[in-house]
Amino acid sequence: MESRRPMMTDEKYSLLLMRDDCRVRRLRVSPLALRLLTVSLVLLPLLAAFGVWAGFSFWQANRTLVNQNQALDRDLKEARVELERLSNLESLLRSSDPEELRALLGSAALASPPAPAPAKPGDANGAGDGVVTAPGQIHAPAGAQAGEQTPLPSDDPTQAGVDARVPDAASQAVAAAVADTPGEAREALSTGEARVDNVTVRHGSGKRLRINFDLTNPDPKKQLGGQALFSVVAADGRIQPLKVEPDTNRFQISRFKKIVTSAPLPDGLAPADVQTLVVELEAEGRIIYREQYPVPAPEK
């Protein structure tokens, strides 16, 4: 007869937990559970180290992506500003008026003239420091004799455009003369919400004034919308408003726009009587900018 061995149960390890003041506790643990416990004690530190390394790597990658996002945001803003400039230029190039295109292209090529040297106390005309020449008067240069002729102002329209862009001593004298007229004085004003540069004003055909300037919004985060108002100061000190072409003086910008417009002179006002141009910017029902610019004499 074959001898049969009795079936043995699964082998297990016995763990005895003994304390001095307590009875002994016995725990039976299978070999598989004991192996898993040993392996987990080895793997847990490794997993913790891998988690720390992965977290640090992902944090560095996140910082890199944030910096790239900020750089792309800046490039996008610059591209929007450039697109707005190009769209404004395209709208001007599509205009049917060649005079406006000539004024636009001519003002970009003009250079600012050097500042005039201050008059010395020993000049022949007797004007010392701080003395301003009255409008329409031309002083002889220092050392000029009484019989010599004083050169007349240049009739070059290009030079006239340069003089119109940069206010000189003559324009300041005209502004002072207007300020002395009671009830019609308009002082310069600037709230810092807009900047006006490269103002060019000249006489056109049909007793019209052609005006163009660069309008800049210093705060690109806020849209600047409104309209430009124009008026002229006559030789007698009167201020008369100008009626420009429709929609050429309105603006809605985030950074930059070129304003090009024209307006007929008021009835009864000759081109030779126009002394200065008053430029005002109106936004949200209030004036945010006001300045006077000299108007060159009309070409003969």
Side-chain angles (χ1 to χ4, degrees):
M1 294 180 63
E2 296 181 358
S3 60
R4 295 182 178 180
R5 299 178 60 184
M7 296 182 64
M8 302 294 293
T9 59
D10 294 339
E11 295 181 356
K12 292 185 178 181
Y13 294 99
S14 297
L15 297 179
L16 300 178
L17 303 178
M18 295 180 295
R19 291 179 59 179
D20 294 341
D21 56 350
C22 186
R23 63 187 181 87
V24 177
R25 292 184 179 181
R26 179 182 177 181
L27 298 177
R28 299 186 65 187
V29 182
S30 64
L32 180 60
L34 189 58
R35 292 191 188 96
L36 291 177
L37 179 61
T38 305
V39 172
S40 63
L41 292 177
V42 176
L43 291 181
L44 281 178
L46 296 178
L47 291 175
F50 175 76
V52 172
W53 174 81
F56 181 73
S57 301
F58 293 153
W59 177 72
Q60 284 187 330
N62 182 56
R63 286 191 58 187
T64 303
L65 292 177
V66 169
N67 294 335
Q68 292 178 355
N69 187 23
Q70 293 177 353
L72 289 176
D73 191 17
R74 289 193 297 267
D75 295 341
L76 180 60
K77 291 181 179 179
E78 294 177 358
R80 287 177 178 175
V81 172
E82 189 67 21
L83 179 61
E84 185 176 358
R85 292 180 178 178
L86 293 177
S87 62
N88 293 334
L89 181 59
E90 182 182 4
S91 62
L92 292 176
L93 291 177
R94 289 180 178 179
S95 175
S96 59
D97 191 353
E99 295 293 336
E100 296 182 357
L101 297 180
R102 189 179 296 109
L104 173 63
L105 298 178
S107 62
L110 293 177
S112 299
K120 296 182 180 180
D123 288 347
N125 56 6
D129 294 339
V131 178
V132 182
T133 304
Q137 295 182 358
I138 302 177
H139 286 290
Q145 297 178 0
E148 295 181 356
Q149 296 181 353
T150 303
L152 297 177
S154 174
D155 292 336
D156 188 3
T158 304
Q159 185 66 25
V162 175
D163 295 338
R165 285 192 307 146
V166 182
D168 54 3
S171 64
Q172 296 177 1
V174 173
V178 174
D180 292 338
T181 305
E184 294 188 355
R186 294 191 179 184
E187 299 180 354
L189 172 65
S190 179
T191 62
E193 301 177 55
R195 190 173 74 247
V196 175
D197 302 305
N198 302 329
V199 178
T200 302
V201 53
R202 60 190 178 86
H203 291 276
S205 59
K207 296 180 62 177
R208 299 180 68 90
L209 279 181
R210 300 195 176 274
I211 308 164
N212 64 83
F213 58 87
D214 298 335
L215 178 60
T216 305
N217 179 14
D219 187 6
K221 298 180 181 180
K222 180 182 178 182
Q223 288 283 336
L224 178 63
Q227 62 178 344
L229 305 177
F230 304 97
S231 55
V232 292
V233 181
D236 55 2
R238 293 180 302 164
I239 299 179
Q240 301 186 25
L242 296 178
K243 186 177 181 181
V244 299
E245 298 179 357
D247 298 332
T248 58
N249 61 333
R250 296 187 178 275
F251 54 87
Q252 184 73 31
I253 59 174
S254 60
R255 190 59 181 170
F256 173 85
K257 184 175 183 180
K258 183 79 174 181
I259 301 293
V260 178
T261 184
S262 63
L265 293 179
D267 296 337
L269 183 62
D273 295 335
V274 179
Q275 297 293 325
T276 58
L277 172 71
V278 181
V279 179
E280 296 178 319
L281 299 180
E282 181 183 8
E284 299 178 355
R286 57 189 178 88
I287 301 298
I288 62 173
Y289 179 87
R290 183 189 298 116
E291 188 58 80
Q292 298 187 20
Y293 299 92
V295 178
E299 299 179 6
K300 296 182 179 179

